[in-house]
């Protein structure tokens, strides 16, 4: 499939935005400026980017604990994300969620999620909702290899296929469930094989090739929109960092790490853009600078934002009760 | 008009489904089969398979589907065949539904109802008889409803469906067949308002679910002995109507709390602790708590009877205060 140059540039920008946002977050975490847990997506940017490039604003996604990439690719705002990581009142969750719980209902982002495998079930509900209301919306469910060992994965694929729901299951096989290599957590190699059990198409693609991901997702999304049901797409990729920041990832053999860093999705796109003469070196640099500025703006926005008022701790537990939660 | 508890729940759902096409039911065998207890019988014929949806036996996915569809504009009513099966769906309730609004900074509504039959008395033994109120009252973000009469079941069901927060709706399976008069003016009953089921002056009994009826029976027996018992049914366990409870205690100065849960760690304990903390000066005697024995529910009727609290336990508990 030929992808228009415009889309190639947009996808490059998205991947770079994710990489630069996370590199910033990584440094801030190391400096102690960001509390809590930070799970980085570095090395996996092609997956979220290639998939979301096919989505509309009102389509839905469910995400994971490693969610920054999905959220940015689906149109999440750098400023509100950075502010949330900083625990500020202007953040997506008003400082109540943090990195693992960013959502933006206006962009169909139904939340990053701290529970491995929880997004599967929620995505089926969102897809059912689209089908019920008769819209042409779809829901993309992002999840990791290790979550396919949870019961939720199997329940959800079964239900989605049974009811021909417009959901696309995107497995990011990054080779590790925390510290456990895929070969030690499941007896299969290609997770797409599991689609057979649920009578849906299952395909495996190079998850570090944004164009391969884009093409596969495009077809699956079309199929879902036309009412033909779900697809399972396995994207083979690699988590370049530890499970969370602070995990040195010593369980990953050095040669394996080196081999995958060579397959880093971002330089691959840069090379493609230059080879195809879509842009020249200096235009690429301009894009990089443009994104650096966006990131700096987001940091400034976060830094200048107030901390949440201590009274806000009782807000948003319920739609219609506030003071009551203190006293009853 | 006279209505059974079961019909009342159905009528409440039916009214809301008529009013709002985004209200739908999903669960195991809720369609043509009418639900394991028959609560949804007839609704499939009326609304079709889109709005009364049979699901695979996948409780996690049933509740997850409710969560995902509630987050995107629908108002689902999920039926779990037995409350005991909710263990399989706990993540969707506790970590997802209850917390999403808060984690997302209040920018999402989750209008969903999860119905579940609970309670013992039908020799269904350890995995089909539990009273599990405390599992949910402990979780911020949930509302918990537990009616004891057809009239309350109807009005509270309507309010639960209209609520923008996740609501756990308990139904005691022994009450399904109970038939009483329900007012012709069908309307929602607000959550968070207790009901004084019987007025009295000497002692307050706070009872939930089927135990409300045991408490009323005990009050009738004690009236003959000259003890006047006030029976309060909170109807919603959260939000809890403290004012009605506290006003009664100001009058009677004695309290017994009765729930069908295992006594250890039950919501009855929370109510008693709250009274001890906030009404200590009004009390003439320590709060008395009655609950089930702390053992799994046994099968043999003779054994089951020993475990479930009964009317005599309430009478004995009250007499201890005089």
């Amino acid at each position: 499939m030929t992808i228009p140059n415009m889309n190639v540039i947009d996808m490059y920008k998205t991947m770079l935005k994710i990489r630069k946002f996370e590199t910033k977050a990584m440094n801030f975490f190391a400096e102690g400026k960001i509390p809590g847990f930070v799970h980085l997506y570095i090395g996996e940017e092609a997956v979220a980017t290639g998939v979301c490039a096919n989505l509309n604003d009102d389509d839905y996604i469910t995400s994971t604990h490693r969610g920054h990439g999905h959220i940015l690719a689906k149109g999440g705002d750098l400023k509100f994300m950075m502010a949330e990581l900083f625990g500020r009142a202007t953040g997506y969750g008003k400082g109540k969620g943090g990195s693992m719980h960013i959502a933006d209902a206006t962009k169909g982002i139904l939340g990053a999620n701290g529970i491995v495998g929880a997004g599967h079930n929620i995505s089926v509900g969102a897809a059912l909702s689209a089908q019920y209301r008769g819209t042409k919306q779809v829901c993309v469910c992002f999840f990791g290899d290790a979550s396919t060992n949870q019961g939720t994965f199997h329940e959800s694929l079964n239900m989605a296929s049974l009811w021909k729901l417009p959901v696309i299951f995107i497995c990011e096989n990054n080779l590790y469930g925390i510290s456990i290599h895929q070969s030690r957590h499941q007896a299969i190699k290609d997770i797409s094989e599991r689609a057979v059990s649920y009578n849906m198409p299952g395909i495996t693609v190079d998850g570090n090739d944004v164009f391969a991901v884009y093409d596969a997702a495009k077809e699956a999304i079309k199929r879902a929109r036309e009412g033909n049901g779900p697809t399972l797409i396995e994207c083979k990729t690699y988590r370049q960092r530890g499970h969370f920041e602070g995990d040195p990832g010593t369980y990953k053999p050095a040669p394996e790490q080196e081999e995958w860093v060579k397959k880093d999705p971002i330089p691959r796109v840069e090379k493609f853009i230059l080879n195809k003469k879509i842009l020249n070196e200096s235009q690429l640099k301009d894009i990089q600078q443009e994104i650096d500025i966006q990131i700096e703006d987001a940091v400034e926005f976060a830094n200048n934002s107030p901390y949440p008022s201590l009274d806000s701790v009782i807000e948003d537990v319920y739609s219609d009760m506030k003071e009551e939660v203190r006293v009853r | 008009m006279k209505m059974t508890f079961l019909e009342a729940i159905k009528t409440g759902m039916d009214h809301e489904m008529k009013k709002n096409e985004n209200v739908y039911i999903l669960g195991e065998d809720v369609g043509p089969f009418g639900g394991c207890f028959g609560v949804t019988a007839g609704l499939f014929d009326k609304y079709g398979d889109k709005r009364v949806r049979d699901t695979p036996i996948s409780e996690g996915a049933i509740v997850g589907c409710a969560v995902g569809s509630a987050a995107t504009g629908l108002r689902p009513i999920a039926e779990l065949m037995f409350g005991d099966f909710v263990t399989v769906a706990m993540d969707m309730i506790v970590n997802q539904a209850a917390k999403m609004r808060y984690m997302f900074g209040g920018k999402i509504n989750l209008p969903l109802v999860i119905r579940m039959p609970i309670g013992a008395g039908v020799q269904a033994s350890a995995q089909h008889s539990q009273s599990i109120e405390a599992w949910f009252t402990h979780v911020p973000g949930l509302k918990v409803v537990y009616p004891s009469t057809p009239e309350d079941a109807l009005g509270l069901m309507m309010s639960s469906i209209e609520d923008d927060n996740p609501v756990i709706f308990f139904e005691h399976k022994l009450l399904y067949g109970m038939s009483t008069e329900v007012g012709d003016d069908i309307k929602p009953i607000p959550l968070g308002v207790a009901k004084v089921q019987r007025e009295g002056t000497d002692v307050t009994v706070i009872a939930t679910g089927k135990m409300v009826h045991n408490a009323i029976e005990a009050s009738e027996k004690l009236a003959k002995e000259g003890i006047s018992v006030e029976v309060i049914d909170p109807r919603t366990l959260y939000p809890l109507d403290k004012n009605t409870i506290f006003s009664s205690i100001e009058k009677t100065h004695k309290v017994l709390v009765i729930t069908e849960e295992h006594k250890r760690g039950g919501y009855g304990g929370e109510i008693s602790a709250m009274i001890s903390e906030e009404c200590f000066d009004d009390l003439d005697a320590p709060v008395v708590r009655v609950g089930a024995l702390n053992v799994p529910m046994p099968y043999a009727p003779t054994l089951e009877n020993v475990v479930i609290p009964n009317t005599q336990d309430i009478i004995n508990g009250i007499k201890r205060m005089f």
Side-chain angles (χ1 to χ4, degrees), chain B residues 142-213:
Chain B
L142 301 177
K143 294 188 180 181
V144 183
V145 178
Y146 195 6
S148 68
T149 66
E151 187 166 25
D152 288 350
L154 200 168
L156 291 168
M157 175 53 77
M158 291 174 76
S159 287
S160 299
I161 296 168
E162 290 174 16
D163 205 282
D164 280 337
N165 304 279
V167 177
I168 306 295
F169 197 95
F170 289 125
E171 302 162 9
H172 197 294
K173 54 180 85 76
L174 275 189
L175 294 180
Y176 278 139
M178 174 196 183
S179 181
T180 58
E181 204 57 40
V182 171
D184 288 334
D185 180 23
I186 289 176
K187 59 173 191 288
I189 295 170
L191 306 188
V193 181
K195 188 171 181 182
V196 179
Q197 289 285 4
R198 189 189 160 98
E199 288 192 13
T201 52
D202 297 333
V203 58
T204 300
V205 172
I206 300 161
T208 61
K210 180 186 163 287
M211 289 298 135
V212 171
H213 303 285

Side-chain angles (χ1 to χ4, degrees), chain A residues 167-184:
Chain A
V167 52
I168 300 94
F169 295 100
I170 304 289
C171 177
E172 300 170 327
N173 182 353
N174 67 13
L175 267 188
Y176 286 89
I178 309 184
S179 72
I180 306 296
H181 189 270
Q182 190 203 358
S183 60
R184 289 177 61 219

